[in-house]
Amino acid sequence: MDINIVGGGSCGLTAAIGLRRAGHKVKIFERASTATAFGAGVVLGQNASLVLTEYGLDWAAAKCNQADGIHLHHGVTMQRLSTTHTDKAEYAPRPGITQYLAHRVDLCQALVDLATASDGSSTPVEIVYNANVTAYDALEGSLTLANGEVHKADLVVAADGVHSCAPAHLLGHESIRHTGTSVVRWMLPTESLQSDPETRCLLQDPEYATFWISADRQKYLIQYPLRLGTLQNFALYIVHKETAELNDQTMRSTCDRERVHKELDGFSPAIHAMVDKTTDSIPVWRLGERDPLPTWHKSRLVIVGDAVHPMLPNQGQGLGMVVEDAAALAVVLQDMPPNPSAEQIEERLSIFEKIRKPRASVAQLLSSVPYYEDPLKTLLPQLLEHMPMNQLPASGLPNDVRPWFYRYDVFKEAEKAVAEQQKELS
Ligand SMILES: Cc1cc2nc3c(=O)[nH]c(=O)nc-3n(C[C@H](O)[C@H](O)[C@H](O)COP(=O)(O)OP(=O)(O)OC[C@H]3O[C@@H](n4cnc5c(N)ncnc54)[C@H](O)[C@@H]3O)c2cc1C
């Protein structure tokens, strides 16, 4: 099939690699001038690293750190409160699959390289940059660019992130809302912390993320190493009353250092000394969410990734879910007949939705509460709308939620769903 993907972020690029491997001719339309325009650190759970390992990602070349777990520290006394191992063998969906910490820019570059490389057996993906998609037509299988060009294909995959206009095209209304939570994110060279006696204590084990929590445990600063330990990534969650309308323009902004000091009032002097090393214009990401959508596809259009299921980063699984979407889509679109009709495509997309929608909707709900709340206690009725009790995590505690995310083998699940559908049809 000819497949046009809108958005060259992690989801669009991973989908392009999978669909190319499944024998399709893939073109990506990306609004930015490069696929590596912005980003900071992300944690790749084993469910995501399984897919990227299978697709041939070279983790060392992508400068990813292996991640072993999380240290929880008191942000005032700096004392270690607990250590959680998140890279246990029993969390691996397949032997040898581990967690990684990646810089989005490095990850996207590695995915671009995989998507566009000649491998002698499948068609390299074509990426069109500076291509701002402004409209979709599901029945025609077309997209329209801001310059008026219309591009048609057998299938259009909308992977254009949280502000995609594809859900509105499918449902007739837009449903993204600002959560009132923002994340302030910055990175510092490890050397700048190491060489300062006051901040050296912030450098814990290189394979661990560190949560520095406030005395009342309501506020936390997350720190983890990137680029093989040469950078330290920091993320501070701010819950505020500000309700600026959330759109492409307002999603990213900046704040000054004083604001960060104020948010971290009461934290240790070492943490404030570290904040002093940042620039005075620190990136802020306003977080958006939407309720699970009733449907993800229509005719020749399917919506994937953050475009269909944006979620808060509380479980660190946004990227995990987009990578799973991409892999599942490639599995269900294997062995398509030549020149497939819209009905034949819809048949496959209904399998895709059957596998992905319940899991991603549950992931959205599990991610909607902070780590110190138990989502199974507060959100059980909503969770049961998407998944029966026996398929949900046994409890909302991290020891049950983590394996529910990490141990998932999307290839196995997608192949099983395709086989079941074929059996039903025969
Ligand atoms: C603060 C923060 C921390 C996070 N931490 C983690 C983590 O630790 N682990 C984890 O798993 N996930 C994490 N996530 C979530 C993860 O980053 C996202 O879920 C994931 O990047 C979404 O990928 P995507 O490709 O669907 O969307 P995006 O990455 O948003 O990519 C969309 C792409 O589409 C392009 N685009 C947009 N509009 C158009 C248009 N009109 N025309 C053409 N192209 C367009 C954009 O330029 C972009 O390249 C975090 C998110 C945030 C905000």
Side-chain angles (χ1 to χ4, degrees), residues 288-311:
E289 65 180 355
R290 57 161 54 97
D291 294 329
L293 293 187
T295 183
W296 289 16
H297 70 95
K298 179 179 165 187
S299 191
R300 295 180 181 273
L301 172 68
V302 62
I303 317 177
V304 294
D306 271 16
V308 69
H309 50 63
M311 60 191 76

Side-chain angles (χ1 to χ4, degrees), residues 353-365:
E353 185 174 304
K354 199 168 140 194
I355 318 162
R356 294 304 307 149
K357 196 159 126 21
R359 179 163 162 87
S361 302
V362 167
Q364 280 181 286
L365 289 165

